[in-house]
C-alpha cells in the first residue's frame, strides 16, 4: 500500500511539474525568425518545432496551367525518398474546374475550399502561383516563413494579373521570373528572393512564352525552397523606378483601329491575345473576327485608287485577306461571321457581291475601326467613304 501511494504521489508530482513547465513555456514570447523557433498553442501539440531547413510543409495556392508546372515539381519532391524539399503538400484553389484542382484530385492531394482554410501550426511556408486573390495579413502571419509568389516578369516590371500578355503586347525583348514574398493588401510589391532573366523569343505568342516561363518559375521556386533561410536573409526590396501595371486582358482590347495601329502593333496584339480573344472589326454593321494572322503583306496597287485604312484586298494565290492599317497591310487566312470562313470563301460569298454592285451597300465595303467595342462609353467608329476592295493575283504576304 505504501509503495502504491508513493508511486501515485510521484506521478501526480510529475504531472504538476509538467503542467507548470508547459504553462510557463506558453507564456514566453519566443522570437520568430528564419533560424527556427519553438512555440506552444492550444491548437497544436506542445513543443512543435518550426523547421529551419527542408523538407517543408507547403500550402500551395494556384489555379491555371502556369501554376500546375510549379505544383508538379512540389508534388514530385514530396514523393522522393531522400533529400526532399517538400514534406507534405496541400492545395488551395478557387473552383473544381481549375487545372490545379484537376491535378490535385488526380494525384489525391488534399484541397481546401477558399477562403475557409485552417493553417495554424500545420504548414511552414505558402506558395502562390496565378491565384488571383489577395491574401489577408492574418493568413500570411500564420505561416512561419511567409508566402512565396512565382511571378512571370522582372519585377517591378509588369505587376498585376497579366504580365506575360503585356510583355508580348509591348514588344519587350527581355523578361524573366521573380520569386518574391507576398505582402498583404497589394499585388506584387514584396521583396525579391530570387530572379532570372530570359530573352523573349522572336514573334512568340503569349501562350508560348507563358509555357517557357512556367518551367523557369517552377525551377526557381524549388531552388528557393532548397535554400529558403538564406534567400530570406538576402532578400531585397523592389526598385521604386520602372514599375508598370499589367491589367487583365479584355474584349475591348481586341477591337482594331485601322487608322492608328501599325503592322507591328497588330502583330503584337494578335500574338498577345489572339489565342483567347479574336481580333475584331466591323463590316457593314456586323462584327467580324479576324483569325489566323500571317503578318505584314506586301501589296502593290499600281493604277488603283489610293487605299484608306480598313480597305480590303484579297490575295488569290495565297488565299489571304489583307487589310490596310496605318502604315501598311496585314493578312488573315480566316474570318468568322456566323461561322468560320476562309479568305476565299469570305471574298466569294460577301465581298465579290459588293464589287459587282449586287449589294445595296456597295459603297460601304470596308472594315470599320472601333474603339472599345460597339456601344462602349467613349467608343468611336470610323467609316471610310471610299469603296476599296481589290482582287490581287500577283502579290504575297
Amino acid at each position: 500500500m505504501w509503495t502504491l501511494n508513493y508511486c501515485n504521489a510521484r506521478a501526480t508530482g510529475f504531472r504538476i511539474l509538467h503542467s507548470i513547465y508547459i504553462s510557463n513555456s506558453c507564456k514566453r514570447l519566443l522570437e520568430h525568425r528564419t533560424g527556427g523557433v519553438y512555440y506552444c498553442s492550444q491548437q497544436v501539440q506542445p513543443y512543435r518545432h518550426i523547421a529551419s531547413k527542408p523538407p517543408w510543409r507547403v500550402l500551395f495556392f494556384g489555379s491555371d496551367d502556369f501554376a500546375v508546372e510549379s505544383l508538379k515539381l512540389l508534388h514530385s519532391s514530396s514523393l522522393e525518398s531522400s533529400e526532399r524539399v517538400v514534406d507534405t503538400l496541400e492545395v488551395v484553389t478557387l473552383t473544381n474546374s481549375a487545372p490545379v484542382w484537376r491535378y490535385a484530385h488526380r494525384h489525391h492531394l488534399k484541397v481546401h475550399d477558399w477562403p475557409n482554410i485552417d493553417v495554424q501550426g500545420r504548414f511552414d511556408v505558402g506558395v502562390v502561383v496565378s491565384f488571383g486573390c489577395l491574401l489577408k495579413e492574418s493568413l500570411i502571419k500564420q505561416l512561419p516563413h511567409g508566402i512565396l509568389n512565382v511571378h512571370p516578369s522582372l519585377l517591378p516590371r509588369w505587376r498585376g494579373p497579366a504580365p506575360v500578355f503585356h510583355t508580348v503586347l509591348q514588344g519587350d525583348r527581355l523578361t524573366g521570373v521573380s520569386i518574391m514574398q507576398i505582402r498583404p493588401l497589394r499585388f506584387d510589391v514584396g521583396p525579391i528572393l530570387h530572379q532570372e532573366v530570359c530573352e523573349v523569343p522572336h514573334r512568340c505568342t503569349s501562350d508560348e512564352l507563358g509555357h517557357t516561363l512556367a518551367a523557369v518559375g517552377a525551377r526557381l521556386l524549388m531552388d528557393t525552397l532548397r535554400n529558403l533561410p538564406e534567400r530570406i536573409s538576402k532578400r531585397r526590396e523592389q526598385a521604386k523606378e520602372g514599375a508598370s501595371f499589367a491589367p487583365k486582358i479584355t474584349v475591348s482590347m481586341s477591337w482594331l483601329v485601322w487608322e492608328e495601329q501599325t503592322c507591328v502593333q497588330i502583330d503584337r496584339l494578335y500574338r498577345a491575345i489572339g489565342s483567347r480573344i479574336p481580333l475584331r472589326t466591323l463590316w457593314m454593321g456586323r462584327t467580324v473576327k479576324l483569325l489566323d494572322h500571317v503578318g505584314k503583306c506586301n501589296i502593290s496597287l499600281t493604277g488603283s485608287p489610293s487605299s484608306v485604312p480598313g480597305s480590303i484586298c484579297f490575295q488569290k494565290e495565297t488565299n489571304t485577306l489583307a487589310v490596310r492599317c496605318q502604315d501598311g497591310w496585314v493578312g488573315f487566312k480566316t474570318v468568322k461571321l456566323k461561322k468560320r470562313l476562309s479568305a476565299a470563301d469570305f471574298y466569294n460569298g460577301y465581298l465579290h457581291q459588293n464589287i459587282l454592285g449586287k449589294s445595296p451597300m456597295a459603297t460601304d465595303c470596308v472594315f470599320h475601326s472601333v474603339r472599345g467595342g460597339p456601344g462602349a462609353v467613349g467608343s468611336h467608329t470610323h467609316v471610310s467613304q471610299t469603296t476599296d476592295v481589290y482582287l490581287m493575283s500577283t502579290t504575297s504576304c
Side-chain angles (χ1 to χ4, degrees):
M1 179 66 70
W2 181 89
T3 303
L4 181 60
N5 289 337
Y6 173 78
C7 291
N8 288 339
R10 186 179 183 185
T12 301
F14 277 129
R15 285 196 296 270
I16 293 172
L17 290 174
H18 179 75
S19 299
I20 294 173
Y21 178 81
I22 293 299
S23 177
N24 291 336
S25 297
C26 288
K27 290 179 181 177
R28 289 198 300 266
L29 178 62
L30 301 178
E31 182 183 10
H32 282 254
R33 60 184 181 182
T34 302
V37 298
Y38 289 90
Y39 65 92
C40 180
S41 170
Q42 296 296 326
Q43 289 75 34
V44 296
Q45 296 178 358
Y47 313 121
R48 173 62 192 171
H49 182 255
I50 298 176
S52 60
K53 62 180 181 179
W56 311 108
R57 298 170 300 160
V58 177
L59 183 61
F60 183 86
F61 301 76
S63 59
D64 61 13
D65 289 316
F66 184 91
V68 169
E69 290 301 310
S70 292
L71 182 59
K72 284 180 180 178
L73 287 192
L74 292 170
H75 181 224
S76 176
S77 175
S78 71
L79 300 176
E80 294 176 357
S81 58
S82 60
E83 297 185 3
R84 291 183 301 162
V85 176
V86 177
D87 181 16
T88 59
L89 177 64
E90 297 180 17
V91 172
V92 181
T93 192
L94 301 176
T95 68
N96 59 9
S97 62
V100 163
W101 186 94
R102 294 197 296 269
Y103 181 92
H105 181 71
R106 187 165 60 251
H107 293 90
H108 310 291
L109 297 174
K110 181 177 179 179
V111 178
H112 297 261
D113 294 327
W114 175 260
N116 302 313
I117 54 176
D118 176 24
V119 304
Q120 183 66 53
R122 301 184 55 230
F123 301 96
D124 301 307
V125 64
V127 173
V128 170
V129 188
S130 297
F131 187 58
C133 293
L134 284 171
L135 305 184
K136 294 182 179 179
E137 185 175 7
S138 58
L139 173 61
I140 298 171
K141 287 184 175 180
Q142 291 181 57
L143 295 155
H145 296 286
I147 301 179
L148 311 183
N149 176 226
V150 180
H151 187 80
S153 81
L154 295 176
L155 291 171
R157 178 71 166 169
W158 299 130
R159 294 171 175 168
V164 177
F165 295 100
H166 288 273
T167 296
V168 175
L169 184 62
Q170 296 301 320
D172 290 0
R173 295 186 178 183
L174 293 177
T175 186
V177 176
S178 304
I179 309 296
M180 54 163 281
Q181 278 189 313
I182 291 287
R183 280 184 175 161
L185 304 180
R186 294 179 61 194
F187 284 113
D188 309 327
V189 298
I192 303 297
L193 273 61
H194 204 353
Q195 202 168 52
E196 183 171 310
V197 178
C198 303
E199 288 189 7
V200 179
H202 179 62
R203 297 201 73 244
C204 72
T205 65
S206 58
D207 288 343
E208 293 167 342
L209 181 59
H211 181 74
T212 297
L213 296 181
V216 174
R219 173 173 54 80
L220 285 189
L221 172 64
M222 299 307 296
D223 182 68
T224 302
L225 289 172
R226 288 188 188 95
N227 306 281
L228 185 56
E230 179 184 0
R231 292 288 181 185
I232 292 176
S233 67
K234 295 181 179 179
R235 63 189 176 187
R236 59 179 175 83
E237 296 296 327
Q238 294 185 34
K240 295 181 179 180
E241 301 78 22
S244 53
F245 183 61
K248 291 181 179 179
I249 60 171
T250 63
V251 173
S252 63
M253 297 172 62
S254 69
W255 289 96
L256 296 175
V257 182
W258 301 108
E259 297 79 19
E260 297 178 4
Q261 291 170 304
T262 65
C263 294
V264 170
Q265 289 172 333
I266 292 173
D267 178 65
R268 290 175 181 170
L269 180 62
Y270 179 82
R271 289 187 288 109
I273 72 171
S275 66
R276 306 191 184 200
I277 304 177
L279 303 190
R280 288 168 165 80
T281 190
L282 282 184
W283 180 73
M284 297 176 65
R286 303 169 66 181
T287 297
V288 176
K289 297 177 181 178
L290 302 171
L291 313 173
D292 301 324
H293 176 59
V294 294
K296 186 175 182 178
C297 295
N298 296 316
I299 302 292
S300 175
L301 298 177
T302 305
S304 300
S306 60
S307 60
V308 296
S311 300
I312 306 167
C313 168
F314 173 62
Q315 298 183 292
K316 185 175 182 180
E317 284 131 345
T318 59
N319 189 19
T320 300
L321 200 68
V323 187
R324 183 77 166 85
C325 61
Q326 186 197 76
D327 64 346
W329 298 77
V330 289
F332 301 89
K333 290 285 188 181
T334 310
V335 302
K336 185 175 181 180
L337 288 166
K338 291 183 179 180
K339 62 179 182 179
R340 292 175 68 99
L341 299 169
S342 69
D345 290 339
F346 181 69
Y347 171 76
N348 292 326
Y350 295 92
L351 298 182
H352 192 52
Q353 301 298 319
N354 292 76
I355 293 175
L356 296 178
K358 294 182 180 180
S359 169
M361 297 181 67
T363 58
D364 193 26
C365 192
V366 291
F367 284 155
H368 300 155
S369 298
V370 180
R371 292 185 180 90
V377 176
S379 66
H380 168 74
T381 302
H382 174 86
V383 180
S384 298
Q385 299 300 316
T386 306
T387 300
D388 281 329
V389 182
Y390 308 106
L391 172 62
M392 302 296 294
S393 59
T394 59
T395 55
S396 60
C397 288

